């Protein structure tokens, strides 16, 4: 490595670290404990953790089969399918929210029929979970597909020649092999869910205890009560750091 | 690592140009620029007034920035280069304190119910919003329209249980026009501006809470003279006509 790379690298690191430091410096230490333990803050945190956990579970349920199909099969249009599935990664979250609204909204593609049987998804906690799952699913699929491709098919082939059925191979060989990849993918998805804002506000709305997750609270409070907004932001930063640390540890296993 | 030294030279030049470009936005132009920050509900009227102002002042470019009043106040306090600020309520103008040199009221606005076209949930009165099963969307109490809503609920004793507390009037309208909410509470002018995408429902109690809009030049404005002239335009007969055409009331 040329030694001069140190300079731009340091610049990049500074660029990421300084804003984080800036938010920490803004925290009013005296009121911090009271602010993050206020009933509304705890309510938002609890809602965020609950919805992110549910969304991550949904991501695993839907993402593991999808990643396996993408990694282990070859069919026409697969490249296109992969691109489409990864689209929420690069879409502005607000656009994802609109797309969900036009699908599950009361007058949406599917929402119209749901409304006839008395089900409305918008403004419910389920809408938050759907929004988070939509934006986080690609994170899980992309890291798991990578892990599946890296681990290769040799062990699976051996297991098959020894008489194991496809389902047994998948359960006993494939999944354990990509365990670390699945773990880090899930953790990434969880972190993305925790931070979800744009799709949630567009699709689910904002009601304390029902749809008002931490990022929505921060956004609403930032003007009227900046101290509270900063305190909640710091909680999100801490959770994010913990999640990333956990993911790195998982990868090392 | 880099085989072609030309690449690193290009990168260095590009970076230098990008960095230099950041600081020189106001240089090299002979035209004068007036920056107006105004509440989101003034988007249509102030865009029209800005065009009028440019026509009357050749060589002057009016840049408008619309957003929630409280957002704009925060930006001004953080040093955003605004010359004029028009707020959707006095509370937010007051927050600026000395920064606002001479706030004057120029318009007023009341709340109106917006429903999806045709009013499918048959909302006819303010108390209908408290009907169980009615999906009502309001502004969060932190923003002016939500503050007005809370005051109105208190004065009338009608207790609305919203399905969502949105960040701005436009967020409320979006949920109504998509049909997901049965009704939303926004300003009269928003219903006017939304045209046929919503059906407005006026109600008697609305005049119990009147939002007053103040406008002011800002301390330290780069273009103090132009700023004052813009404020004068808003307060002039022509300016007031633009506002009343859009549904605003007298201050």
């Amino acid at each position: 490595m040329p030694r001069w790379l140190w300079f731009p690298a340091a610049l990049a690191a500074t660029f990421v670290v300084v804003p984080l430091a800036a938010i920490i410096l803004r925290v009013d230490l005296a009121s911090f404990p009271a602010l993050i333990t206020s009933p509304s803050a705890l309510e938002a945190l609890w809602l965020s953790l609950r919805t992110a956990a549910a969304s991550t579970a949904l991501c695993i349920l839907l993402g593991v089969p999808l990643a396996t199909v993408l990694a282990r099969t070859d069919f026409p249009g697969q490249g296109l399918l992969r691109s489409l599935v990864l689209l929420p990664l690069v879409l502005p979250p607000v656009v994802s929210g609109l797309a969900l609204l036009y699908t599950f909204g009361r007058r949406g593609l599917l929402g119209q029929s749901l409304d006839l049987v008395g089900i409305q998804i918008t403004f419910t906690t389920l809408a938050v979970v759907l929004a988070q799952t939509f934006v986080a699913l690609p994170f899980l699929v992309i890291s798991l597909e990578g892990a599946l491709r890296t681990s290769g098919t040799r062990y699976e082939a051996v297991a098959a020649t020894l008489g194991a059925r496809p389902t047994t191979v998948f359960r006993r060989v494939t999944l354990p092999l990509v365990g670390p990849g699945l773990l880090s993918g899930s953790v990434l998805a969880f972190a993305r869910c925790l931070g979800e804002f744009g799709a949630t506000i567009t699709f689910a709305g904002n009601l304390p205890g029902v749809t008002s997750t931490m990022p929505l609270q921060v956004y609403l409070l930032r003007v009227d009560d900046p101290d509270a907004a900063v305190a909640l932001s710091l909680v999100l930063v801490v959770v994010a750091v913990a999640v990333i640390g956990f993911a790195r540890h998982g990868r090392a296993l | 690592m880099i085989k072609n030294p030309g690449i690193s030279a290009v990168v260095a030049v590009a970076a230098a140009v990008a960095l230099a470009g950041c600081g020189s936005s106001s240089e090299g132009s002979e035209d004068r620029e007036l920056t107006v920050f105004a509440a989101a509900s003034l988007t249509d009227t102030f865009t029209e007034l800005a065009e009028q102002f440019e026509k009357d002042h050749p060589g002057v470019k009016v840049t408008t920035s619309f957003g929630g009043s409280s957002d704009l106040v925060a930006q001004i306090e953080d040093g955003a280069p605004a010359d004029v600020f028009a707020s959707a309520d006095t509370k937010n103008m007051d927050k600026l304190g000395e920064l606002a040199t001479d706030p004057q009221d120029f318009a007023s606005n009341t709340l109106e119910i917006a429903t999806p076209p045709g009013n499918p949930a048959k909302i006819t009165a303010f108390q209908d919003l408290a009907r169980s099963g009615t999906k009502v969307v309001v502004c969060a109490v932190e923003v002016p329209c939500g503050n007005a809503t809370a005051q109105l609920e208190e004065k009338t004793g009608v207790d609305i249980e919203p399905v969502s507390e949105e960040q701005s009037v436009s967020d409320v309208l979006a949920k109504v026009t998509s049909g997901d909410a049965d009704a939303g509470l926004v300003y009269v002018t928003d219903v006017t501006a939304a045209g046929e995408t919503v059906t407005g429902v006026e109600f008697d109690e609305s005049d119990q809470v009147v939002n007053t809009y103040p406008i002011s030049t800002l301390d330290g404005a780069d273009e103090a003279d132009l700023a004052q002239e813009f404020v004068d335009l808003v307060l002039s007969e022509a300016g007031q006509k633009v506002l009343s055409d859009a549904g605003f009331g007298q201050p």
Side-chain angles (χ1 to χ4, degrees), chain B residues 127-157:
Chain B
Q127 59 261 29
D128 287 353
L129 299 182
R131 220 163 45 190
S132 73
T134 309
K135 309 228 178 252
V136 182
V137 178
V138 299
C139 290
V141 72
E142 287 84 355
V143 290
C145 55
N147 186 23
T149 303
Q151 286 183 42
L152 198 57
E153 285 185 68
E154 197 174 317
K155 288 197 177 178
T156 56

Side-chain angles (χ1 to χ4, degrees), chain A residues 2 4-5 101 105-107 120 122-123 201-202 205-208 216 219-220 222-224, chain B residues 1 70-71 91 95 116 135 137 140 142 162-167 175 178-182:
Chain A
W4 60 267
L5 273 183
L101 193 62
R106 205 196 256 181
R107 301 209 185 135
Q120 185 174 357
T122 37
F123 309 126
I201 193 98
T202 317
N206 176 54
L207 193 70
L216 272 64
Y219 184 70
L220 190 61
R222 79 203 183 287
V223 174
D224 249 39
Chain B
M1 188 169 145
S70 38
D71 269 338
K91 183 183 134 198
K95 276 197 225 159
K135 309 228 178 252
V137 178
E142 287 84 355
V163 290
S164 184
E165 297 169 358
E166 300 288 333
Q167 323 273 355
K175 300 288 194 300
S178 78
D180 285 280
D182 295 322

Side-chain angles (χ1 to χ4, degrees), chain A:
Chain A
M1 183 187 91
R3 207 174 298 164
W4 60 267
L5 273 183
W6 276 100
F7 178 67
L11 203 64
T14 313
F15 180 60
V16 175
V17 170
V18 168
L20 286 175
I23 209 166
I24 293 169
L25 290 173
R26 274 282 180 116
V27 172
D28 181 21
L29 278 180
S31 57
F32 183 73
L35 286 173
I36 59 161
T37 52
S38 73
S40 64
L42 289 178
E43 192 175 46
L45 179 62
W46 176 226
L47 179 70
S48 272
L49 292 174
R50 254 169 40 213
T51 51
S55 305
T56 308
L58 207 54
C59 280
I60 294 173
L61 214 60
L62 300 172
V64 171
L66 182 57
T68 312
V69 166
L70 286 176
R72 289 287 185 265
T73 65
D74 210 1
F75 55 88
Q78 196 191 28
L80 182 68
L81 176 67
R82 181 181 295 113
S83 306
L84 287 176
V85 168
L86 297 184
L87 204 54
L89 266 184
V90 287
L91 271 186
V94 176
V95 176
S96 301
L98 277 180
L100 288 169
L101 193 62
Y102 295 149
T103 310
F104 297 105
R106 205 196 256 181
R107 301 209 185 135
L109 208 56
L110 306 175
Q112 224 161 8
S113 319
L114 290 171
D115 192 48
L116 289 177
V117 290
I119 299 172
Q120 185 174 357
I121 293 176
T122 37
F123 309 126
T124 63
T125 306
L126 177 61
V128 179
V129 173
L130 289 182
Q132 291 177 350
T133 306
F134 189 79
V135 296
L137 187 59
F139 283 84
L140 187 120
V141 172
I142 206 170
S143 42
L144 188 58
E145 196 200 337
L148 281 164
R149 286 185 182 279
T150 322
S151 73
T153 52
R154 278 183 310 149
Y155 293 104
E156 291 167 13
V158 171
T161 58
L162 293 174
R165 302 226 212 149
T167 304
T168 314
V169 175
F170 180 68
R171 211 163 41 83
R172 302 290 296 272
V173 179
T174 312
L175 283 185
L177 268 178
V178 295
L182 179 59
L183 181 67
S184 63
S186 311
V187 171
L188 268 181
F190 182 79
R192 179 66 188 84
C193 290
L194 266 187
E196 214 311 298
F197 171 75
T200 310
I201 193 98
T202 317
F203 172 51
N206 176 54
L207 193 70
V210 182
T211 50
S212 191
T213 53
M214 291 277 279
L216 272 64
Q217 280 272 313
V218 171
Y219 184 70
L220 190 61
L221 287 173
R222 79 203 183 287
V223 174
D224 249 39
D225 194 353
D227 286 344
V230 167
L232 290 186
S233 305
L234 186 61
V235 173
L236 277 179
V237 170
V238 169
V239 173
V241 168
V243 161
I244 292 172
F246 185 69
R248 285 182 54 86
H249 186 66
R251 203 179 290 250
L253 286 175

Side-chain angles (χ1 to χ4, degrees), chain B residues 127-249:
Chain B
Q127 59 261 29
D128 287 353
L129 299 182
R131 220 163 45 190
S132 73
T134 309
K135 309 228 178 252
V136 182
V137 178
V138 299
C139 290
V141 72
E142 287 84 355
V143 290
C145 55
N147 186 23
T149 303
Q151 286 183 42
L152 198 57
E153 285 185 68
E154 197 174 317
K155 288 197 177 178
T156 56
V158 173
D159 187 19
I160 303 172
E161 278 184 28
V163 290
S164 184
E165 297 169 358
E166 300 288 333
Q167 323 273 355
S168 75
V169 165
S170 38
D171 290 323
V172 173
L173 279 177
K175 300 288 194 300
V176 172
T177 49
S178 78
D180 285 280
D182 295 322
L185 267 176
V186 294
Y187 292 120
V188 172
T189 51
D190 300 315
V191 176
T192 312
E196 292 183 349
T197 56
V198 299
T199 298
V201 179
E202 291 177 13
F203 55 97
D204 298 335
E205 299 88 337
S206 63
D207 58 5
Q208 292 183 22
V209 176
V210 179
N211 248 31
T212 309
Y213 284 55
I215 187 169
S216 177
T217 55
L218 295 171
D219 190 40
D222 289 337
E223 298 281 0
D225 300 345
L226 281 180
Q228 187 55 50
E229 282 178 49
F230 187 85
V231 171
D232 291 343
L233 170 68
V234 172
L235 293 168
S236 73
E237 206 170 309
Q240 289 293 305
K241 170 139 185 7
V242 171
L243 288 160
S244 65
D245 284 351
F248 284 99

